Amino acid sequence: MKCWIATLLLVTLILGSAFLESTEATYPSFCDSKCGERCSKAGLKKRCIKYCGICCAACNCVPSGTYGNKSECPCYRDKLNSKGKSKCP
């Protein structure tokens, strides 16, 4: 009986981790494509993409266009850095 429970637990952990890996893989590709579009005209693209990615991961959205339109995503708009300025590009 103990062996059966241990096997069931092991199978559950394996399936659970496979599910988590597949869902985590979708968000980075979503954020990468949206932030790539958002930062396409930025002067400092690496920095723009870095902060956009942080904001996208936290908010699960990125405003359309390359500048402005932050009202489309209030979470993205309201994130502030330590100096009180907008964290998200």
Side-chain angles (χ1 to χ4, degrees), residues 13-58:
L13 288 173
I14 291 171
L15 291 176
S17 67
F19 175 73
L20 286 175
E21 287 176 13
S22 67
T23 56
E24 287 176 2
T26 3
Y27 288 114
S29 63
F30 167 77
C31 290
D32 289 347
S33 65
K34 290 290 190 176
C35 288
E37 182 182 325
R38 180 89 178 159
C39 297
S40 64
K41 294 184 180 179
L44 300 171
K45 285 186 185 177
K46 280 187 174 182
R47 185 169 156 188
C48 180
I49 288 174
K50 174 186 174 183
Y51 287 107
C52 179
I54 291 169
C55 295
C56 177

Side-chain angles (χ1 to χ4, degrees), residues 55-67:
C55 295
C56 177
C59 299
N60 295 321
C61 66
V62 176
S64 61
T66 56
Y67 186 79

Side-chain angles (χ1 to χ4, degrees), residues 4-20:
W4 183 78
I5 292 173
T7 304
L8 181 63
L9 181 61
L10 183 62
V11 169
T12 305
L13 288 173
I14 291 171
L15 291 176
S17 67
F19 175 73
L20 286 175

